[in-house]
Amino acid sequence: MISRIMLRGTVALGVLAATAAPAFAGSSEALLKRLHEKGILSDEEYNELLSDEKSEARATPASGGDGAGLDLSKMVKMTDSGIGLQVGPATIKFAGSVNGFYVHDNPDTPSATTSVVGGVASVGGKNSSAVRNGLLPGFLTVSVTTQQEGWDVGAFFGMYPGINSTAWGTLGANNGGQPTALATAGIDFRQTYLTFGRKNVGTFKIGRDIGLFGSEGILNDITLLSSGTPGGNVAPGNTTLGRIGVGYIYTDFQPQITYTSPNFSGVQASVGVFQPLQSLTGPAQSGSSPGFQGKLTYDGKLAGVGTRFWVSGVTQKHDIVTGGSYTGQGIDLGGKVTAGPIAVTGYYYTAKGLGTTVLGLFDTDASGNPRKSDGFYVQALATFGKIGVGGSYGESSLKYANAADAAANPDLVKVNSSYVGQLRYNLTSWVTLIGEYVHSKAKAHSGNQASSDAMALGGILFF
């Protein structure tokens, strides 16, 4: 009797020989039977090899075309949508964006009346050119989601690198630019949070993400995809201003613990506790009291017109180190209606002790007396095929805390405003080319004022 190795070699030769014959069932058992019938295998050899094949079949899970019997926890496959993969029980998805704009800014001729403390318009009388990011820096996000013990669980990471060189300082990657050789761009790691929830319970979020108050203002702003007011065009940082400070206060990305309710026929609510923010320009503070924010939204259709309405609020007590306290608080509301190719958006906010442009900027006088502020913007965007045409106007106002504040800060900004005209062309489903004209104006309580005109041309990609 020949050895088992020689038997398997004989079977292999039989496979080669069988390829010239009509196809059989395809199983090893059928091939062994055919070789036995041809006399290639003796009865003893046939029975021994058949026994081996059956033993191996019992040890190896069956794998039909539908994957039956496979250990799915070890499988890797593409996701049904987006860019990502399914790794066992977890779904990993990637998304990102890259943009760049050539921005030319032309401020008014300098004079003794252009000084506006907190103004967003460029001053100095000299033109500037920059190749820079728009209101958005680039970004790369990674999400990991799964279901465990009936809970939908997720982790999210968002990295936002700019294309411009950054002069590192107190604001990190959002500090002013450094347009010199051998400098490097900065990465703003804005998002890192976990979520867990159930369909009928809602979702809890713990980590760093965009705030609730003011978030709808920037997310619905057409300059989010473009430039808007340049701000620091001579030495550009990670982003332009867009309509920040000329229509809304920047919501910011903040440490938080928030809860979002299930969707009830288009109505959804979110509430959260936030890391307390200290004033950027007011007296020193202890940061002992947390911030609280909430938002209510509605999405639906009214008479065939798509609608989204919202209202949000923020409050935080500020304890001053030298004694006393004040409360920063604000509320905003707005709506977006879409009828066919035309979308119209309106937004308004009012606040006390929040400041202007960003949270905590010029929010109080030197003694901690809160200043009031408000602002709004209106915009429209019409899209016809690949072409979109949009325009908007907005302004932000800041009031004095009292007469002493007025006497001490005569050139404090009273109103920042801007007009924006925008033209879009969707080159592909990923790439949008954008041209934009922006007129920005800043006016102080003293009557000083400055204005500038900017042109931006570039593009943005999303995947």
Side-chain angles (χ1 to χ4, degrees):
M1 183 180 68
I2 60 177
S3 69
R4 184 171 298 181
I5 295 177
M6 293 179 65
L7 286 173
R8 293 192 179 277
T10 303
V11 173
L13 291 173
V15 171
L16 293 175
T19 56
F24 295 96
S27 69
S28 298
E29 293 182 20
L31 179 58
L32 289 172
K33 182 179 179 181
R34 183 62 172 166
L35 294 175
H36 180 241
E37 291 174 348
K38 288 179 175 290
I40 297 175
L41 296 176
S42 66
D43 292 343
E44 184 180 1
E45 292 168 344
Y46 169 69
N47 290 330
E48 185 177 357
L49 287 173
L50 183 61
S51 177
D52 288 344
E53 289 297 327
K54 289 182 177 180
S55 297
E56 291 178 4
R58 286 193 296 269
T60 304
S63 57
D66 59 355
L70 295 176
D71 185 355
L72 296 180
S73 66
K74 298 180 180 178
M75 293 289 288
V76 177
K77 64 177 183 178
M78 293 173 56
T79 53
D80 294 331
S81 62
I83 298 176
L85 61 155
Q86 182 86 26
V87 183
T91 299
I92 303 173
K93 285 193 174 183
F94 304 90
S97 177
V98 181
N99 75 79
F101 294 88
Y102 170 77
V103 180
H104 183 80
D105 194 18
N106 181 19
D108 284 341
T109 302
S111 69
T113 60
T114 59
S115 175
V116 181
V117 178
V120 299
S122 301
V123 296
K126 294 183 179 180
N127 298 342
S128 64
S129 296
V131 177
R132 60 181 301 178
N133 281 121
L135 178 53
L136 275 177
F139 66 77
L140 175 64
T141 63
V142 182
S143 65
V144 182
T145 57
T146 188
Q147 190 174 76
Q148 298 177 346
E149 301 181 24
W151 291 92
D152 296 318
V153 178
F156 193 92
F157 305 91
M159 298 162 282
Y160 290 72
I163 67 172
N164 294 96
S165 300
T166 299
W168 287 92
T170 56
L171 299 180
N174 293 316
N175 218 58
Q178 182 178 317
T180 61
L182 303 181
T184 61
I187 297 179
D188 177 3
F189 215 125
R190 296 185 182 185
Q191 295 168 292
T192 172
Y193 62 83
L194 66 89
T195 59
F196 60 94
R198 290 179 173 175
K199 183 177 180 180
N200 297 324
V201 173
T203 301
F204 296 87
K205 178 192 297 181
I206 302 175
R208 184 186 185 94
D209 195 21
I210 194 170
L212 299 178
F213 172 76
S215 59
E216 295 292 332
I218 190 170
L219 294 177
N220 289 282
D221 178 11
I222 61 172
T223 70
L224 181 65
L225 306 187
S226 56
S227 169
T229 299
N233 201 52
V234 174
N238 255 13
T239 70
T240 60
L241 286 175
R243 193 164 280 294
I244 296 173
V246 279
Y248 52 79
I249 297 174
Y250 180 47
T251 177
D252 220 324
F253 287 76
Q254 306 172 50
Q256 60 188 272
I257 300 175
T258 58
Y259 164 76
T260 299
S261 73
N263 191 306
F264 299 103
S265 300
V267 177
Q268 199 162 28
S270 298
V271 293
V273 57
F274 286 70
Q275 162 71 28
L277 297 180
Q278 298 189 20
S279 172
L280 288 166
T281 51
Q285 299 161 17
S286 66
S288 59
S289 301
F292 299 94
Q293 298 187 28
K295 182 168 73 170
L296 183 68
T297 62
Y298 168 75
D299 290 282
K301 283 194 173 183
L302 299 175
V305 177
T307 61
R308 179 174 177 85
F309 299 112
W310 64 84
V311 58
S312 67
V314 59
T315 183
Q316 180 193 324
K317 182 183 177 182
H318 296 257
D319 297 303
I320 301 173
V321 172
T322 56
S325 66
Y326 70 94
T327 298
Q329 54 191 3
I331 187 171
D332 70 352
L333 53 90
K336 179 179 180 179
V337 295
T338 304
I342 299 176
V344 178
T345 304
Y347 175 86
Y348 171 79
Y349 78 90
T350 181
K352 182 178 181 180
L354 289 188
T356 188
T357 307
V358 299
L359 295 167
L361 181 65
F362 304 119
D363 54 342
T364 73
D365 64 9
S367 301
N369 298 303
R371 294 166 173 154
K372 292 182 179 181
S373 59
D374 56 54
F376 71 91
Y377 74 81
V378 291
Q379 72 178 28
L381 177 66
T383 304
F384 304 98
K386 286 179 170 288
I387 297 176
V389 180
S392 70
Y393 173 79
E395 59 182 49
S396 291
S397 301
L398 183 67
K399 299 175 176 61
Y400 284 126
N402 48 43
D405 186 20
N409 303 283
D411 292 338
L412 182 68
V413 63
K414 181 179 182 180
V415 180
N416 281 318
S417 62
S418 73
Y419 293 93
V420 175
Q422 188 182 98
L423 179 64
R424 301 179 180 182
Y425 178 73
N426 296 323
L427 184 67
T428 71
S429 60
W430 282 19
V431 179
T432 300
L433 304 179
I434 302 176
E436 191 171 68
Y437 164 75
V438 184
H439 175 75
S440 304
K441 184 176 180 180
K443 184 176 181 180
H445 285 272
S446 64
N448 287 359
Q449 56 184 342
S451 63
S452 60
D453 297 279
M455 296 289 294
L457 183 64
I460 188 168
L461 175 150
F462 289 97
F463 69 86

